[in-house]
């Protein structure tokens, strides 16, 4: 049986979830694909941290070059987060002929062209399903099953942390700071929660979506973005009294004067389908000129949901490797 060897950059929350999910579901993945998978090297400095998984010490390395210089490694999974050194590491891996899977929306949104161009030039696959909507396979659907559509609008709840905070503030009347700590403890929030609560994370995800859906490169800094730090208990109660909820929405819509896009807290009537998307769940409404309205819904954050999307990408690439067609066209 062909074995796919994987180099993993980062054994934090999502890296640990990915390692765990592969161990947990190895048998069904092998049965479904006829391929075996092994994470053979892991770039991580905290070797002894208790993660609830058993990782042989010899898999750890402190030197990223040992990963892209390893001729046995087929795929590099980048789960370091942050723009650098993650982008440079992905580019190096690509230049060394490795296929790359990442969940890193900040690196992708900032360096989209450089990463895509490098992947094309080096005939490798770059996949990033987990970067938008966590476990929801929305990028896959938008770039395959829905390709026959002209897209008119996308509106999404794309950040689990802020949705969790707004939900708890609404349902339990809690203060913003208390809920944020809880979200961090559950592993939804970024190490620096500013990116979540200021809307930057949702903005990065919207930038990636716009590239795929509307074929336009809109840099994150050009997307008008407002987070939820200014939302008070009083705002929440006022919305409630008016039969509404406050949600952080990321949207893009084609209009006569061009594409309009923004990330901002918006009041939604309780009857709106996005109003009932609670906690760390994400959702994306898509309107296509043939399919009409669609809504994707699922867990947008957390180690195992994100791992589900990461491993889906790994499997897609591995099948292509096995068929000899692992290059992007
Ligand atoms: N911090 C992100 C969120 C993680 O809360 O949605 C998933 O991208």
């Amino acid at each position: 049986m062909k074995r796919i060897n994987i180099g993993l950059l980062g054994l934090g929350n999502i890296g640990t979830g990915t390692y765990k999910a592969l161990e947990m579901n190895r048998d069904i993945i092998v049965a479904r694909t006829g391929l075996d998978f092994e994470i053979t090297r892991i770039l991580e400095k905290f070797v002894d941290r208790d993660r609830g998984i058993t990782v042989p010490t010899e898999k750890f390395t402190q030197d990223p070059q040992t990963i892209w210089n390893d001729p046995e490694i087929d795929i590099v999974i980048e789960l370091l987060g942050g723009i650098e050194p993650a982008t440079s590491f992905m580019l190096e891996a690509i230049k060394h002929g490795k296929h790359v899977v990442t969940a890193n929306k900040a690196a992708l949104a900032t360096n989209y062209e450089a990463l895509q161009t490098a992947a094309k030039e080096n005939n490798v696959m770059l996949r990033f399903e987990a970067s938008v909507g966590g476990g929801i396979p929305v990028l896959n659907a938008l770039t395959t099953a829905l390709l026959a559509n002209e897209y008119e609008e996308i509106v999404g709840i794309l950040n689990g942390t802020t949705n969790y905070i707004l939900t708890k503030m609404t349902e339990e009347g809690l203060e913003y700071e208390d809920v944020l700590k809880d979200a961090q403890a559950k592993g939804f929030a970024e190490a620096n929660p500013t990116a979540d609560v200021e809307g930057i994370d949702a903005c990065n995800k919207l930038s990636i979506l716009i590239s795929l859906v509307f074929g336009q490169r809109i840099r994150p800094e050009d997307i008008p973005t407002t987070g939820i730090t200014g939302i008070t208990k009083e705002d929440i109660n006022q919305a409630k009294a008016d039969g509404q909820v406050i949600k952080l929405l990321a949207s893009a819509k084609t209009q006569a004067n061009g594409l309009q896009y923004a990330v901002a807290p918006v009041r939604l009537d309780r009857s709106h389908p996005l109003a009932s998307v609670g906690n760390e769940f994400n959702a994306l409404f898509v309107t296509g000129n043939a399919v009409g309205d669609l809504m994707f819904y699922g867990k947008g954050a957390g180690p195992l949901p994100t791992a589900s999307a990461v491993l889906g990408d790994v499997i897609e690439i591995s099948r292509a490797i096995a068929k000899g067609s692992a290059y992007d066209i």
Side-chain angles (χ1 to χ4, degrees):
M1 184 183 296
K2 179 166 176 57
R3 189 173 96 167
I4 302 294
N5 293 314
I6 298 162
L8 175 61
L9 308 182
L11 197 61
N13 266 334
I14 307 303
T16 302
T18 300
Y19 197 96
K20 199 183 273 183
L22 181 57
E23 295 305 305
M24 182 170 85
N25 291 340
R26 178 183 300 281
D27 290 352
I28 52 169
I29 295 172
V30 170
R32 284 175 183 158
T33 61
L35 298 167
D36 196 9
F37 297 84
E38 193 63 44
I39 295 174
T40 53
R41 273 182 203 273
I42 302 172
L43 179 75
E44 173 63 56
K45 52 178 177 253
F46 301 108
V47 175
D48 297 326
R49 182 177 286 172
D50 181 11
R51 301 175 168 91
I53 53 174
T54 310
V55 184
T57 319
E58 62 272 17
K59 290 194 177 188
F60 286 94
T61 178
Q62 316 288 313
D63 178 4
Q65 301 208 31
T66 61
I67 294 187
W68 44 82
N69 285 331
D70 182 343
E72 300 291 313
I73 288 182
D74 305 288
I75 300 173
V76 171
I77 304 178
E78 184 280 311
L79 299 174
L80 295 167
I83 297 169
E84 285 297 349
T87 303
S88 303
F89 286 0
M90 285 192 272
L91 289 171
E92 275 307 311
I94 288 169
K95 280 181 201 152
H96 284 77
K98 310 299 182 197
H99 306 282
V100 169
V101 173
T102 181
N104 191 331
K105 51 267 155 142
L108 277 165
T110 307
N111 295 306
Y112 194 78
E113 303 90 336
L115 288 161
Q116 292 282 18
T117 303
K120 276 195 179 19
E121 283 176 0
N122 290 278
N123 276 325
V124 298
M125 295 173 76
L126 169 68
R127 289 291 181 273
F128 42 91
E129 182 61 71
S131 67
V132 179
I136 314 171
V138 65
L139 301 188
N140 212 301
L142 290 165
T143 55
T144 56
L146 293 170
L147 266 185
N149 285 268
E150 184 177 338
Y151 293 113
E152 294 168 1
E153 183 175 16
I154 52 173
V155 187
I157 294 174
L158 299 180
N159 182 268
T161 302
T162 46
N163 203 41
Y164 183 83
I165 292 172
L166 292 173
T167 303
K168 293 289 174 207
M169 286 176 77
T170 304
E171 289 179 355
E172 298 175 26
L174 296 173
E175 290 290 357
Y176 168 82
E177 283 80 13
D178 296 331
V179 193
L180 173 60
K181 281 185 205 129
D182 189 25
Q184 283 175 303
K186 289 193 161 74
F188 306 149
E190 302 298 315
N192 176 358
T194 308
D196 292 305
V197 297
E198 296 291 1
I200 299 161
D201 179 75
C203 166
N204 286 333
K205 292 166 178 169
L206 182 61
S207 169
I208 295 168
L209 278 173
I210 290 173
S211 300
L212 293 176
V213 170
F214 296 105
Q216 292 187 34
R217 171 72 175 127
I218 310 291
R219 301 189 64 82
E221 58 269 31
D222 296 327
I223 298 178
T225 298
T226 311
I228 65 160
T229 50
I231 304 290
T232 62
K233 227 163 121 172
E234 289 66 41
D235 295 327
I236 300 267
N237 289 339
Q238 187 56 55
K240 244 187 200 175
D242 296 341
Q244 294 180 317
V245 290
I246 298 176
K247 293 289 183 191
L248 184 68
L249 297 186
S251 57
K253 185 176 184 162
T254 46
Q255 306 221 298
N257 55 345
L259 192 67
Q260 302 298 312
Y261 37 81
V263 173
V266 173
R267 274 171 161 238
L268 287 177
D269 287 340
R270 281 205 171 274
S271 57
H272 192 292
L274 284 173
S276 57
V277 175
N279 294 313
E280 79 272 29
F281 282 83
N282 282 196
L284 185 72
F285 251 133
V286 179
T287 308
N289 68 345
V291 75
D293 288 341
L294 280 178
M295 180 162 147
F296 298 88
Y297 169 86
K299 283 190 180 160
L304 286 179
T306 309
S308 165
V310 168
L311 291 177
D313 281 346
V314 167
I315 292 168
E316 185 202 340
I317 293 174
S318 301
R319 283 181 155 157
I321 292 173
K323 278 198 280 182
S325 59
Y327 43 81
D328 271 341
I329 49 171

